[in-house]
Amino acid sequence: SQQGEEDPQALSIQEGENATMNCSYKTSINNLQWYRQNSGRGLVHLILIRSNEREKHSGRLRVTLDTSKKSSSLLITASRAADTASYFCATVTGNQFYFGTGTSLTVIP
Amino acid sequence: DGGITQSPKYLFRKEGQNVTLSCEQNLNHDAMYWYRQDPGQGLRLIYYSQIVNDFQKGDIAEGYSVSREKKESFPLTVTSAQKNPTAFYLCASTPQGYNTEAFFGQGTRLTVV
């Protein structure tokens, strides 16, 4: 399977703290993307980082990519209760999207 | 508003029945995908289509069938051959080209009764 893996599987933090989740994958990629899923809903795209990029920012989100280690991390700074959701990485090769197993984030008010 | 619509939101199937899940998009996207999500797990690819009248099997295609007669529509049929169909099904679409994001519908929760 080309499915990636996120860790930790679950993360619980206090509001205002930073949350970091990691993604490891196995194959070469065109880009890596992070998505958010609220319970029982579809996935929403957060950020895309290309294979030749090392770091990218979008608002409170910071993504890093290390293609030599086949890993990526997503940092959410100054977390809010509304950030509570599951977060998935997706590795993209051609038009194929391979989603990881997800990290369930709970932000405690 | 442009988007991708899945229906119904909830679907109940009796043992031995075929059911069809609808996925429609008005984003003019070329590629469409069906994923299955089981509780606490990631998404697994069932089928995908890059162009009208063409589709390919994903990792878990057994017991499922699809069609792509129109660019806007990519229905998924869960057949009686699928032994464990209870799951959350997600449809997605992407525009042509590399480095594009996927747009998802809100999902259909299928339960076997």
Side-chain angles (χ1 to χ4, degrees):
Chain A
S1 170
Q2 294 179 274
Q3 193 173 35
E5 288 190 12
E6 283 99 333
D7 82 274
Q9 287 190 333
L11 180 61
S12 184
I13 60 174
Q14 296 289 331
E15 201 165 31
E17 293 181 338
N18 295 343
T20 299
M21 50 204 86
N22 304 294
C23 171
S24 60
Y25 59 93
K26 298 175 183 175
T27 64
S28 60
I29 60 172
N30 295 120
N31 66 74
L32 185 143
Q33 304 182 22
W34 285 89
Y35 288 79
R36 167 194 168 123
Q37 183 182 35
N38 285 55
S39 181
R41 307 296 296 270
L43 277 68
V44 176
H45 180 262
L46 294 175
I47 195 166
L48 180 157
I49 185 164
R50 300 182 186 207
S51 60
N52 61 354
E53 297 176 314
R54 292 297 167 257
E55 187 170 312
K56 202 159 183 182
H57 297 254
S58 177
R60 294 185 295 113
L61 304 180
R62 172 178 168 252
V63 169
T64 61
L65 178 65
D66 187 335
T67 52
S68 66
K69 295 181 180 178
K70 291 186 167 56
S71 67
S72 173
S73 67
L74 171 67
L75 169 67
I76 303 174
T77 60
S79 64
R80 306 166 181 168
D83 293 330
T84 294
S86 292
Y87 292 82
F88 294 88
C89 69
T91 53
V92 183
T93 304
N95 286 101
Q96 289 299 302
F97 287 68
Y98 295 96
F99 287 84
T101 50
T103 292
S104 176
L105 173 66
T106 301
V107 181
I108 303 166
Chain B
D1 287 337
I4 182 164
T5 302
Q6 289 185 243
S7 63
K9 189 172 175 65
Y10 299 97
L11 187 58
F12 297 90
R13 189 192 96 168
K14 292 183 179 179
E15 296 276 357
Q17 275 186 340
N18 293 353
V19 290
T20 298
L21 284 60
S22 170
C23 179
E24 304 276 333
Q25 54 100 358
N26 61 3
L27 300 166
N28 199 33
H29 285 174
D30 290 296
M32 297 186 74
Y33 308 79
W34 274 106
Y35 292 92
R36 170 181 171 140
Q37 186 178 30
D38 292 284
Q41 297 191 28
L43 281 66
R44 292 184 290 168
L45 181 65
I46 305 172
Y47 269 99
Y48 65 100
S49 169
Q50 309 269 28
I51 196 170
V52 173
N53 292 324
D54 187 43
F55 48 83
Q56 287 80 39
K57 293 181 179 180
D59 298 323
I60 56 164
E62 186 175 350
Y64 300 98
S65 66
V66 293
S67 63
R68 187 86 186 275
E69 297 177 2
K70 299 186 299 181
K71 189 176 185 178
E72 303 79 20
S73 178
F74 192 40
L76 174 74
T77 296
V78 184
T79 75
S80 57
Q82 171 49 240
K83 298 306 177 189
N84 184 22
T86 294
F88 190 52
Y89 291 87
L90 287 160
C91 179
S93 69
T94 63
Q96 198 171 44
Y98 295 114
N99 297 317
T100 61
E101 67 183 83
F103 291 77
F104 280 83
Q106 292 302 302
T108 292
R109 187 166 300 281
L110 173 63
T111 304
V112 173
V113 296

